[in-house]
Amino acid sequence: MLQHDVLVIGGGGAGLRAAIAAAEESDRLSIGVLSKVYPMRSHTVSAEGGTAAVMRENDHLDFHAKDTIFGGDFLSDQDAVEVFVREAPAEVIQLEHWGCPWSRDPDGRVSVRPFGGMTVNRTLYAADKTGFHMLHALFQTSLKYEKIVRYDEWFATSLLVEDGKVCGVAALNLHDGQVSPVTAKAVIICTGGGGRVYPFTTNAAIKTGDGMALAYRAGVPLKDMEFVQYHPTGLPGTGILITEASRSEGGHLKNKDGYRYLQDYGLGPPTDKPVHRKMELGPRDILSRCHIQEYQKGRTFDGPYGHYVHLDLRHLGEKVIDKQLPFVRELTRNYVGIDPVHEPIPVRPVVHYMMGGISTDLDGATVLPGLYAAGETACVSINGANRLGSNSLTELLVFGARAGRAAARDALGRPPIRSNPLAQLAADERRRLNERFLRADGRERIAEIREEMQKAMEKGLGIYRDRATMQETCKTLRHLRERFAHVGLMDRDAVFNTELIAALELESLLHVAETIAHSALAREESRGAHTRTDFPKRDDTRFLKHSLATHTPDGPRIDYSPVTITRWPPEERKY
Amino acid sequence: MSAPPAPRPGLYYPKMPATWWLRRPAYLRFMLREVSSVFIAIFLAVLMVQVYRAGQGPEAYAAFLERLASPGWIAFHAVALGFALYHSVTWLKLTAVVQVVRLGEHQVPPRLVAAGAFAFWGILSLAILFAVLLRS
Amino acid sequence: MAEETITLEVTRYRPREDREPRAQAFTVPYRKDWVVLDALNHIKDRVDGTLTYRWSCRMGVCGSCGMMVNGVPKLTCAAFLRDYLPGPIRVEPLAYFPVIRDLVVDIEDFMGKLRRVMPWIIRRTEQPLTAGEYRQTPAQLEAYKQFSMCINCMLCYAACPVYGLSPLFIGPAAIALGYRYNLDSRDEGYHLRQPILAEAVGVWQCTFVGECSAVCPKGVDPAAAIQRSKVAGAKDWFLSILLPRGGRS
Amino acid sequence: MSTRKTSEPFWWGLFSVGGVVAAFLVPVHLFIHGLAVPLGWIAFPHARMLALVGQPLVKVYLFVLIALPLYHWAHRFRFVLEDLGLHALRAPIAVGCYGSAVAGTVGTLWVLLRL
Ligand SMILES: Cc1cc2nc3c(=O)[nH]c(=O)nc-3n(C[C@H](O)[C@H](O)[C@H](O)COP(=O)(O)OP(=O)(O)OC[C@H]3O[C@@H](n4cnc5c(N)ncnc54)[C@H](O)[C@@H]3O)c2cc1C
Ligand code: SF4
Ligand code: F3S
Ligand code: FES
């Protein structure tokens, strides 16, 4: 049997940081990293803009905390935010020591740039491939630790729970199709977000919310799932992200009349040089809503993939673009045939990030003993109702490390796992997969269900929401879940069965979609990324609280838990 | 040297045919570049013999030159010259990639380095030609 | 109006049943803004769910979608159908790698080699985090930056005949990444790493075919990294002859 | 970590130097000695030849011109043979190629010193 002390599910930024932290905590531990793709393929690789931490004399931990809480529309747990901002600087420096090629100032210090919603320059970056460089630095550093054993291209299908404790996972090895138990005294879920519940998203194909579904199915509540961040500048069609850094470097958003429309929505006045939290540097939720309002006023462009506006970088000049935004130029040239040096880039809001996730404490621990979570899949919660750009890369470092250390300590204190019952549980899981997918003769097609789910989500749970459409979406999702029970696979092969993976991912997506829809329906207010036309105001008396979605056979049950307020009492969020 | 990894069952291991270099134009160009060395080496061997013959006296030398004037040898040398030029061009271009030239903070672009090398090559060749022509 | 179409000739290989890969033709709708990967996804979603390949980011940065397109290694998420008109387009698994199934190849060999070149910062003494970052000027960053852009897409291996001929060759990407750390001003591991790069199966196997750099989608130029490592290796060798007790500490 | 000693850097070093010499000097000499003189475009009488090769500096020049590119040839030819699939014979091929280059070097020395 495959046995470890700590098992990390996911080889993205959070997972690798957790694994290294666990390895450094004690050299008596054996650590497994199990990932459905090779770690360097994880979606952290595509993060572009940067990672926030207080680095300079003109900045202060409290400023960073305030910006984060304010940006999150006061739904952030303030004790978590304080831990976050305090540990962030050491974490980004740690990454520097591990070789991350941060962009530099002439004096050799790491550079910082402005970012949406931040009041001070505090976003470190590696040109516009920050996530790529962070992930590869973490991955390459992780190779140094012999204690870290990797299971590349293994898909975790369910948590193994014995006596109310997590003892490992059942996982499918793509290379031979075998389902095996991988046991551990502590399991950390770091499986990233689930943007693929929507049709237009910056998220990669692998972002299907598997980890959230794993925990949810095991009875762990998902917190604040209704908060889904739209990024205002994705490419129409593919959803490829044009990083916020293009705006912090001075790019302008213009409607079809060439007018910088953000000034009409209280974000002005327009200036030539970017000003913190003004105009294009406003927070993402607000910018995305402005876009929709422009559309409703008929002032956006119309293209084959719907409405769009222009992101204009031309005035920055070729030199700045090539030095600070080379990837933007590469992407627009390759994917829409546009050179931002000479032409404006068509952009529209696309789904980008999930503020919600597996509910954890400050150490990443969940209510289920032995189970931890970190990264985008978790909700600690620092992002509240709206994440500020460049906070999530930092989040996965800080809380990845904390979860890794906590899980390591936890594992040191636990007795060895009894393997017999687990082998039995894994055998059950094997049977489940066989009967549900490989031997079943259903006629429903995966792609069809997925597309209908995505359409329903965009319709009901988009940037603007109201009760009637959300109810309709909830009904559709319910119906799709029934159809999913009759899904049929064409591929019955054991080796590298990607259709089976697609089915398992769709199962996760449907769970995640339902938690989003039901949490959103229950929250009768507008806060951060959750905007309801029928309840346009924030309502602190009724809803200054986290929603918790718990799995029941009839769909999610929504409960609430209080928000931790330490030093920043709620005030109106105005920019 | 470590042993090659044992083949794993189920995987398909592609084979490399001996004619792999005909599969892509770039591979063929590579082969031609490598083979240029053969022509260069033969020419140098001939040159060595020429020097040797010169040492044996005027008759031996003249006879040797006569042989070189035969159509076969002329054809060979014409082809060899083509290969030699191909070698020079590829070599100078690639050298520019290998040798990083720095001027202060910045790396001199490889293109410029190559241009310098080509200029030097041209001048050197003219100089040699001149030295030979001048007093003959 | 009849829809415009284009034909893809896709390599299929089922490990349990087939002894050799074979080609299968699929005709898909032609769209100006589709890449080869979109066409494959179309086939998988609507025609044949058994077609097997890897992909994820579809923005040319995760490195998983490399395949041979008309015989040339490409990221299929960045290879537009419109560049291959009128077709048919041959889509094959990356050359020189063992094939697991259809278009999926086994890259474990590279993963092992990557670890061997020690792609991490090695220092005699670690500065504590409280002392802040290691200073590195933009010029020092520039010195290795290019070689840190590798997305491990394996296109360079699929382009390198030397790797095809002798699979022990450490190969372009792994050498480039090892070399990247040798160039990093923060690193002090040259004396550990360089001997590995300069092993017989390391840089010396490379005959400078140069195709690795020609196909690299990220401008890494592994060929340059290898040749420069050769220069360093040769220098070390001659130095060790002249100064047997090691001119280098 | 122990380093495997390999002679590759030595041969590669000679190969590179030989390649440089071949790139800069060979084409013009090929033109002169292979085409221009035999075809009578340039006269290159025996007396002049003797006078030239009698000078020590010219001897050194000729040695460099002839001997070094032989290593360039040896190295490339060795890999061409390997690339054509003669992998099993790696060792004898290497010995044969570099051996020939060494023999050529000795030969060149002998010719030049006898003059
Ligand atoms: C285009 C884009 C740009 C972004 N830019 C920024 C930015 O500039 N700044 C910023 O702060 N944030 C940014 N973000 C957000 C940030 O990148 C992500 O939130 C973060 O990278 C998530 O990291 P992670 O480690 O949690 O998950 P991921 O990197 O997504 O890793 C998930 C891992 O889990 C594994 N996994 C998933 N399911 C399973 C399963 N069932 N079994 C086994 N393994 C599984 C996957 O293989 C993968 O290794 C960006 C996001 C996107 C999409
Ligand atoms: S060097 Fe280039 S081609 Fe090779 S793996 Fe890296 S990115 Fe891909
Ligand atoms: S293609 Fe191969 S031979 Fe060398 S230059 Fe590149 S590694
Ligand atoms: S899908 Fe990620 S590189 Fe092509």
Side-chain angles (χ1 to χ4, degrees), chain A residues 304-351:
Chain A
Y305 300 100
H307 45 89
Y308 64 90
V309 294
H310 274 160
L311 173 62
D312 196 346
L313 305 183
R314 288 175 295 185
H315 54 285
L316 300 180
E318 184 161 3
K319 248 205 172 131
V320 170
I321 292 176
D322 278 348
K323 173 135 191 288
Q324 304 286 34
L325 305 165
F327 194 40
V328 167
R329 194 168 185 199
E330 180 186 325
L331 287 171
T332 50
R333 270 183 170 174
N334 289 346
Y335 292 92
V336 282
I338 275 178
D339 185 347
V341 172
H342 305 295
E343 286 163 278
I345 308 168
V347 292
R348 62 164 281 166
V350 288
V351 167

